[in-house]
Structures are given as structure tokens and as C-alpha cells.
Amino acid sequence: MQRRTFLKLIGSAGLGAALPAATAKAAGNKAFTGYPDAMGVLFDATKCIGCRKCEAACNEVNELPKPEKPFDDLSVMNAKRRTDAKTYTVVNKFVPVDGRPPVFAKTQCNHCQEPACASACFVKAFTKTPEGAVVYDASVCVGCRYCMVACPFSVPAYEYDEPLTPRVMKCTMCHPRILEGKLPGCVEICPKQALLFGKRSDLIKTAWERIGNEPGRYLPHVYGEKEMGGTNWLYISGAPFQQIGMREDLGNTPAPELTSGALAAVPVVVGLWPVLLTGIYAVSKRKDRVAKEEREAAVAEAVTAAKEKAAAKLADELKKAEAAGKRLADAEARKAVEAYKQELEEKAKAAAAAADESGDESADEKKE
Amino acid sequence: MEPFMRKKTVALLCSVFIAAVAVAGLVGPEAAGGSQGAAPAGTGRSDLILIDALSALAPLEEAKVAFLHDKHTEALAKGKDWAQKGCLTCHPQEKDGTMGLAFKKPVGADKAAARDVFHDGCISCHKSMAAAGEKTGPTGAACRDCHKKDPGVADARQDVVVDRNLHYRHVKAYEKDDKKCGVCHHRWDEKAGKTVPAVKETEVPGACAYCHLDKPVVQKGVKPEIIRSGRQAAHGECVSCHYKRATEPGSKIESPYTCGGCHDAASQAKAAEKSKKAAAEAGDAVRMKRGQPDAALVAGSVPFKAGAKNLPIGVVPFNHKAHEGKVATCQACHHGSLDSCSASCHTVAGSKKGGWVTLEQAFHKRDAERSCVGCHAKAQQAPGCVGCHGIMNNGKSLEGKSACAPCHKAVDGPLPAGIEEAPARQAMAAALLKARTAPAALTDDDIPEKVTIKVISDKYEPSEFPHRKIVRAMLERIKDDPMASAFHNGQYTVCASCHHNSPAAKYPPSCASCHAAADTGAKAGRPALKAAYHGQCMGCHTKMGIEGKVYSSAPGAKAVPANTQCEGCHKVRAGQAVKQ
């Protein structure tokens, strides 16, 4: 890999980690509007009579331990209760207006469309099923109980008295029964059909139809239609939801959306950190190596250059020397030649002189 | 308007308003800052006035003074000046001789002066009483003696309604008086340029509240320029007269003039009892005769024309006389004036004056208090009616044309001659009302004695439903109700409360023909059989308030099973019950 390419990649990944919201939205499930055929339950507080049959049926179908007080003891409703590891659902009694009949409200997992528990779980022990239920897989759970902290409805409970294999316990919307084509236990037993099972989309329609038909009976609010991004358990009531123990301060933003920014950065950081560090290490290592190589090469080059320079100089010197030598030799030769020439000329002059003396002789001789 | 003028008007308004607050004791809690639920039950007083007269001039620096008016009246009545001065001990006298509602004098624009009226007025009196060795209130040693944040008493003031019966007692008391109705009722006389007594019944403009509204009416260029508020009018006129009559030498008339005398729940109940007795003795004389017919043909958007045939929605004969006896005052229906509803307010298409409530809505708006349907819907909430009507879809027992039929009578043949005139219409209305016949009573043959509900028996044994006993109990409850008789206009109409959504008949379809035995959830669009049965039975018991209570007066009668008491209606089948 080219260093430039690598740095480019690291840079873009770093940007991804720095701006998680933008990228997480594109990559995450923020636009998730729920599984289209997801089922749900509509609880009608104006129909509930507080018989606790749903609690009994829930206990039976989920094979939960027998409670301290029997389910036909309605006095337990005099105090507000909440779900626990042995109770997936409770019905509480409220008296919103003194002197008017009580209003009952059932509590259980609301099966959020985008569950907070699932978003908080880092081992994916919670799954939002296409049927609408949010189900739990004890086999992967590490017992961190982040789900319990995350749930805005305080629903998941923990088996604190289970020393070896404690689980998180909560309503499953009777998911196994739904898959079998049966109704959830509580829905099936309800004598008033205060719990209506059906497609979430149908339930919302039914809820608004009821509100529209009897505006005096209901408040114009389907709880769970929008709360926390929507839940698959829906509620309608004649009393304000706050007065029947339900939170109205939750807002309509799904829990994962509140945390997806920060959480989406986690895999990036966790996944990228080793790569990043290794990369940085590799880069610095390579840098050292390259520097070393470069240095060595430079040295070698310098040495070679020096050598070459020396050799060249030598050669040059030699050449020069040679040339000088040659020049010297030439000069000497020329001198010698000159000297010789001069000697010869002198000799010739002498000869000529001699010839002059006897020149005629030589001329004669030449002529001869 | 010039600033000065505006200031003057505001000051005038303020003084008038403050006077009402200071004395009337009629001001609603929001206006007078009345204490609400501050004190425990039983300590409520109907004479509590929170003096906040200065709040109109500047923000209050101190807590409002909780003033118990009757306590002061009582104390002052023991004084030697009382016989001579009476209410005028504290209150100014108006030009027309009635009592002014301000304390000493109306509050002006000067805050310090206004404050001193109260401080001097209250403290000087307390001091002089203390000097005389009498038991009295704070003498100004500490501000908090009077300006307390928690007055320690709750406001238990009840509004006064001069209903038909109470009105009759006043009529009777003055039937021989020259002024007759004009003793109380007055009208504006254009020629005289003042209000004059409305002597004759037909001269009475109507209820006081038509003109005397919640706040004084100031009209420019129209006389009278200022119309007192309802509170001012009521206290000025009623209290002055009551006090005068009660304190006349040798008077035997019980005419209350203290706050509690009119505004206390107990004294109201006592007066109502007395009025009811007087009205019962009077018979028809109790009616407020103002030229209204006994029976009227209600006009709709289709004008009455002689010879008109096939009226689309028939005609509505209205038993005015019978309705008079069912409401406390004319205002129950004629809320703004005694003129025709459709004349200028609730016109066919609605008008601004009528708040754009169309004529149709004026009659049919279900959530309105004064429309026909609205008032009847309210009547359906009576314990004897709500069992059936409460579980019906929004109280609607019938849909479409059959829902209109009890009021809108079809007319066979053309409308008679002269129908454009009131006498003919009234005669036709009377004839139609007379022709209304009660349907044949249900016989035992019509009502099966027992119905065994067993279609879905599973964990429980079949339910033995005492059908006839329950139908008879229902019929017994409504047998003397003329409205029920008029509206349950078919022999089997009453059956339709349980056997709903199918034509009322002797042999209605079984519940299971519409309600499936199994719960198939939302897609079924209607409750499954189990929920349908429970919904009807429990819904009715709950609405009537008889759930878990003994309803029948027969000796040894059992309580109606509570909703959660399954075995009250069906026994648990051996080994089948839900795990407990």
C-alpha cells in the first residue's frame, strides 16, 4: 500500500468516527418505522375491570413461580406494583378522580419499535422480531443489566436470587405462542377484551376509531403510537396517562436515536483502533526503514560518488599526467627532434660547408 | 378617547368592580383570588371575601385580606347604630336608593386614598369597639393580623339560581302589588329616558342575565350607557329589598340578606325545599307566563306553507309546557334572549351574533348544554338511563332516520291552511302531541324468562341469565319517565340496548351471529363473544352504579355480581379454572 493511500483511508475513517451522527444515520436504522406486519396489543383502560386474570394467565403460560398471594386476591392492587423477575405483567389500580370508579392500567414490556434495551445491549441479547415482540437470548447475556438501565419503562428485571445462571426477565408478548398462531396469554384470558391483539397498524386505526366514536370516553391520545419512537403495546384511556402511572415525559424519539451517535462510534473506534495503531506503527516503522535505506543509499551513493570522483580525478590526473607526460615527452622529443634537427642541420651545414669546400665535388657527385 | 377620559372610565369601572368584590361576595374565585381548598372540609364559608380592591390600581404589596362578611354583619347588628343605619353603616347609598356595594365609598384612582379608606374604615371601627370593651378584630398593631397569606378558611360560596319555584314565591308575594313583575323586573323606557318597572308579564324583557352580564356593559351613544353587572344588579336590588322587608316593623317575611342566607349550600337547600312545596301547591300557576305557547311547531329551514306536502324531515311538535317543568329557568334553553332562536342568532346558515352556530346545530349539537340533543344526552346520564345509553356508541341508540323519528313527525297530506300563523301551528303541534301513543307494553310472552349462555362455556359452567327479571327491572325504572315513554316509541325499543345494531324485534338475532366465539383480534372489528357478553352486562352494571350492590328492593335480594366476581354469574367448571 502506498503511504499516501493509507493515510487517506485513515483520514476518512477518522472523519467517520468524528462525525458519527451523519454516517450512523445513513448506516443505522434511524428511519426504521417498524416491521410492517408487526403485531401488538391495544390496552383499553376504559374496559379493564382489574380482575388480574391477565396476570394469572401470564404466570401460567410463562411457567413463572407461584406468587405469594393468589391472583384472585385483589387487595394487592391497593399498593402500586411493578414487574419483576417472577412477574412479567402487573395491573395497578388508580383513582384519578376522588369518588369516581378506579381506573386500571396494565404494565408489561411495551415492545418498543426501536427498543432501548436492545440498543444498550452489547452482546445482542435482545432482538426485535418481525412479529413485533422484543425477545431475549439468555445464552449470550453477560449480565451487565444495561438493558434495565436503558429501558424507559423500567420493565426488564433480573434474577438476583439465581446464583449461577441469572437471567433478565420480561414479557415476551408470548412470542412462541404468536408463532404458533395463538394469542398472548393475557389477551386470550381477558374477559373484557380490554386487550386487543392485532397488527400494530390496525390497532392504531382501531384506537383512533374508538376515540373518534366516543370522544367523551377517551382522551385523544394513543399512548405508544409515538412515545419513544412507538411501541407495539398501545394504550387508550379516559384518564390522563400520567394519572394512571404512565410516563408522559419520554418524548417521541426512539432510544437508539438518542445513543446511536455515541454508540455508532464504538465499533468504529474499537474496530479501527488496532488498525490505526498498527498502521501508525507500520508507518513509523516504514519511515525509519525508508530513512535508513535512504541514508544507506545516500552513503553508498556518496561513497560511490567519492570513489568515482576520486577515480575520475585519478583518471583525470592520470590523463593530465599522461597529457603532461605526453606534453613533456613531446617537448622533450621535440627538443630532441629539434636538437636532432639542429644537429642534423648543423651537420648538414657542416657538410655543406665541407661540400662548399668540396661542394663542387658533391654537386658533381649529385649530377652524377 | 382622551387619556383623561380613559382614566376616568377605567377608574369608574374599577370602582364598580371593586365595590362588587368588596361587598358582594359573589365574585368567582378567579376574579377575587378566592381561596380554594386551603382549609380542611367543613371550614368552608360562603361569606369569604378576599379584599383585593387595590389590585386594580397597583400590584398588591401585602396579602389579600380575608374578610368574613357575615361575621361583621352579625357584630354590627348588635351595635346601637344598626337599627338606624343598617347596611349603610359600611356601605354608601346609591342615587336610586339601593345599597352601593363599595366599602364606605368607591375606590378612586388614588392608591393611597383607597388604601386609607380600608385602613381607616376597618381599624378605626375595631379600635372604638376595643375601647368600649367589646370583642373586635385587629386594631392595626401588625400588618399580618389582617394581611395573612393563608386565610384559614375555604370559599364555599354557591351561585344563586332563581329557579321557577323560587320565582313563583316572589310572584305570589307581590301579586297584589301595583308594580307586580315590576317590583324586580324593569325595562328601559326610551321616552322616559330611564328604567321603569315592567309591570305586565309580557313587558318583562326576560331573565336579568340577558342584560346584566358578568361585567358591567358600557355602551357609547346608546342608553342606558352603563348596565350594571349581574352581581351589582343582584346585590343592589335583591339585598336592599330583602333587608328592607326583613327589618320592617312586624315583618314575618324570611328574606335573607346575609351572604350565607343566599350563598350557603344548606340555606339554598332549605329554600329549595320550601319553594318546591309552594310550587307543588300552585300547580300551573308556577309557570312564568310570558306569552309562550303550550305546544309549538318548531321551525326548521323548510318554511311552513299551507298545502306543502312531503316535508323532508317532517315537523317537530314541541311540548313547551312539559319542558318548562324540567328545567330550572327559561335560560336553560333561551340563553341569550326570549326572541326566536333563528331570528337573528342561530339562523339557518349561522350568524356572527350567534357564534356561527347554525339552526341545525342549535337543536342537535350533542355536546352543547342548551341544544335539544345535548340536553337530552345529559338526561340520558341519569342512573336509570345510563345503563343502556352509556354503553351505546356515544349514547346513540339508533342510526339514520329512525333516530330522527321520535322528534321529527312525518306529516300525512298537505299542511293545513293558516299554518303560517302561530295559532294554527300551535294547534297542529298540540294535535300531533296528543296523537302520540305509547307503544304496547311488553308481555311475559315477549320476554324469555331465562337465557342460558353456553356457546363459549369452557373454564366456567354455562351462565343462567335471569333475562326477564332484568328486563322487568329496567322497565320498572323508567315506567314513570315521560321522556323514556316518548322516545322508546316502539314495543321492542328497550330491547335494543342489549340487542343492539339490529332492528328492534321480538326475536333478535343471537349475539353469536355477529360476535365470533374466538378472539381474532383487531381484524374482527368488533368484540368477540366473551367480551361482548361481559361488555354488555358489566358495562350496564358499572354505568348504573349497581355493580356489587343490592339493587332489587325485594326481600332477601342478592347483590348484583361485582365485575371481578366471576362465580356470581357462572360457576367454575371443575379442574378448569385459571391457575390461582
Side-chain angles (χ1 to χ4, degrees), chain A residues 49-51 53 56-57 59-60 64 66 70-72 74 183 187-193 195-199 202-203 206 213-215, chain B residues 390-395 459-460 519-523 526-532 534-535 538-539 542-543 563-564 566 577-580:
Chain A
I49 54 168
C51 65
K53 288 264 188 266
N59 178 279
E60 191 182 329
L64 296 169
K66 198 181 160 183
F71 287 108
D72 57 357
L74 302 181
L183 294 171
V187 175
E188 190 183 70
I189 200 79
C190 181
K192 289 289 301 293
Q193 222 167 329
L195 295 163
L196 186 68
F197 182 76
K199 257 194 213 176
D202 289 345
L203 292 176
T206 305
N213 284 340
E214 293 181 81
Chain B
I391 59 170
M392 286 167 186
N393 195 4
N394 204 10
K459 291 186 163 70
Y460 292 90
D519 178 1
T520 52
K523 64 178 183 245
R526 57 180 72 148
L529 204 46
K530 179 173 68 175
H534 287 141
M538 293 176 189
T542 308
K543 291 277 182 187
N563 290 346
T564 50
C566 309
V578 175
K579 184 175 144 188
Q580 293 294 351

Side-chain angles (χ1 to χ4, degrees), chain B residues 353-369:
Chain B
K353 197 179 165 195
W356 300 110
V357 176
T358 61
L359 186 58
E360 184 276 324
Q361 283 288 283
F363 289 129
H364 300 121
K365 200 167 190 304
R366 196 171 182 84
D367 55 2
E369 270 180 39

Side-chain angles (χ1 to χ4, degrees), chain B residues 52-54 57 68 87 260 299 396 405 486 496 500:
Chain B
D52 62 350
L54 267 62
L57 304 175
L68 298 176
C87 303
K396 280 181 214 151
H500 59 153

